[in-house]
Amino acid sequence: WGAGIWTLTSLQHLSLGRNNYDEQQFPPLPEDMEGLTQLSLDHSNITGPIPDWIGEFTGLTLLELNSNRLSGTIPPQMGNLHNLTYLLLNRNLLMGEVPPEISGLTNLELVLLDNNGLNGTLDDALCPAVRSGATVSADCRGDDPEVTCDEGCCQICQSDGDDPYEPGDWFRNNNLGRWKKKYGRYLFAFVSLRALDETEWTGLLVFSLWTNELFGRPVTHARPLRFDVRFLF
């Protein structure tokens, strides 16, 4: 992803998914990106664990990490994300039980956990958090399911070999659409943030590279980090 993105600390919506990136670890978000409400890194070839510091971004309402190769357990620090409404962790390699801290996320309307290696029960760890009418998917189908879940909580039960649940229909049916598709593409290829006056970017709220054909290995450093963005779509 380049290293000027992380200077855009006023961002509220950041979408970098659905590209052809090389294998990478979870990108280190800067601590001062305090206003971030929606983070989308789906289909980004991310490996390794979800970092504990994700719990510092307490303004998040959407966390979209599906369709990567994330491994390890769901960090209990994710229980600090009390504004979280949409949590998409499906189609990864996550293991272990859902931590009980997740039960405090009482604004959840969509939770996708299917196609992972999770185990245990969701009845205490997740189900108390979900709103009436919320949609939850998990690997809870079959005679010996990987996850047990009350049918009133998990409406979508999957098993190994099933087609993964596609959340696009859910967003459309709930008249939400994808926020990433609501913004026009105003600036096209080969624009370097370094070549523009810094004041032009200070208040930027939305940054999306979603669904392009970007490739290569993003530069990663310890937090805080500065990127040189070569593409803005």
Side-chain angles (χ1 to χ4, degrees), residues 158-187:
Q158 303 275 81
S159 63
D160 291 342
D162 290 347
D163 292 333
Y165 179 70
E166 173 51 55
D169 291 340
W170 188 93
F171 280 95
R172 286 188 291 271
N173 292 338
N174 287 274
N175 298 315
L176 295 173
R178 290 293 188 115
W179 68 266
K180 292 165 285 193
K181 296 181 179 178
K182 294 181 181 179
Y183 298 93
R185 298 184 174 193
Y186 300 112
L187 196 59

Side-chain angles (χ1 to χ4, degrees), residues 111-115 122-123 127 135-165:
V111 184
L112 304 185
L113 301 175
D114 61 273
N115 282 263
L122 301 182
D123 291 343
C127 294
T135 297
V136 177
S137 73
D139 296 324
C140 51
R141 191 165 73 86
D143 295 332
D144 186 22
E146 297 175 18
V147 170
T148 59
C149 181
D150 184 271
E151 62 181 13
C153 175
C154 291
Q155 298 85 358
I156 303 168
C157 280
Q158 303 275 81
S159 63
D160 291 342
D162 290 347
D163 292 333
Y165 179 70

Side-chain angles (χ1 to χ4, degrees), residues 5 8-14 33 35-37 204-207:
I5 265 187
L8 307 177
T9 54
S10 295
L11 284 179
Q12 296 178 3
H13 309 291
L14 178 59
M33 199 177 278
L36 195 64
T37 62
L204 192 65
L205 302 180
V206 178
F207 190 96

Side-chain angles (χ1 to χ4, degrees), residues 87-114:
L87 176 60
L88 288 74
L89 299 178
N90 56 322
R91 309 183 206 178
N92 279 292
L93 303 172
L94 297 171
M95 304 292 289
E97 298 186 4
V98 174
E101 288 81 359
I102 300 299
S103 65
L105 305 184
T106 56
N107 289 311
L108 290 171
E109 295 181 10
L110 176 67
V111 184
L112 304 185
L113 301 175
D114 61 273

